[in-house]
Amino acid sequence: MSQVISYIARRAGRQAPPRPESRRPRLALRRLLVTAASSLTAVASLAAGPSTAYAAPATGAPSTTPVAQVPVRHSGDHLTVTVRNAGKGRDGTFELYCHPGGGSHSDPEGACAVVERNTRWGQDVFAPAARGGACTMQYGGPATARVTGTWAGRPVDATYDRRDGCAISRWDRMVPLLPDLGSTASS
């Protein structure tokens, strides 16, 4: 608006009326607030950066946008799974990274998905079976597993076996994080 008044005043051969002095501090304050707000937004977006990895869909389709090749840094969940006496090439120690998925585990996407699916607010996804529960007296074989690492920002140190129906159910609930032994475990 003031530019229009200045233009009209110059065309008429007069000088534009001076701006009121009281607006200058308001404009300076407004600029300061806008700058502060944009700075806070920039800092917040930097702090929230890793969470965008959770929202990115995994389509498997190649991207048409060229992206610089940067080594994947795993800052999300990390689990180490050690399986013993499972037989048929299932024994070993496997690394699993989630968010983004990776590691030496044979099915990182499936393993991350099963842990995500079993995660409940306020409950330990790796908690042992409840004591005193009624369990079938079946033996699922000598297989054992130990899962250590970090999940959802919390330390994990859990052991699994197949000594009875409750332990077998607990193991099977975590397949494919743990190997699928089904009914072949006792053979």
Side-chain angles (χ1 to χ4, degrees):
M1 178 80 174
S2 64
Q3 292 174 345
V4 172
I5 294 173
S6 297
Y7 175 75
I8 294 171
R10 274 187 275 133
R11 298 270 307 183
R14 291 182 271 156
Q15 190 173 13
R19 286 181 111 178
E21 293 296 322
S22 62
R23 284 192 69 192
R24 288 186 185 172
R26 281 186 178 170
L27 288 176
L29 181 59
R30 183 178 294 162
R31 285 186 189 133
L32 178 65
L33 290 175
V34 168
T35 303
S38 63
S39 297
L40 286 174
T41 303
V43 169
S45 69
L46 289 175
S51 67
T52 58
Y54 291 97
T59 61
S63 174
T64 57
T65 307
V67 178
Q69 293 296 323
V70 179
V72 175
R73 291 184 0 177
H74 295 282
S75 60
D77 302 314
H78 170 242
L79 299 173
T80 302
V81 181
T82 303
V83 180
R84 303 238 187 276
N85 302 317
K88 298 181 185 173
R90 297 177 182 137
D91 291 354
T93 299
F94 311 97
E95 298 294 322
L96 174 67
Y97 295 93
C98 299
H99 312 113
S104 61
H105 194 280
S106 61
D107 183 7
E109 291 83 17
C112 293
V114 77
V115 179
E116 285 280 346
R117 199 170 35 249
N118 286 298
T119 300
R120 304 283 184 272
W121 178 258
Q123 297 177 2
D124 182 5
V125 67
F126 300 100
R131 292 186 185 264
C135 300
T136 60
M137 297 303 294
Q138 70 187 77
Y139 180 65
T144 61
R146 183 171 183 202
V147 179
T148 58
T150 304
W151 182 260
R154 302 183 140 226
V156 173
D157 190 355
T159 57
Y160 291 81
D161 59 37
R162 298 177 62 85
R163 71 178 173 268
D164 61 25
C166 293
I168 293 170
S169 175
R170 181 173 173 252
W171 180 293
D172 289 346
R173 191 174 58 244
M174 297 306 276
V175 170
L177 175 69
L178 303 177
D180 185 5
L181 301 180
S183 61
T184 62
S186 59
S187 56

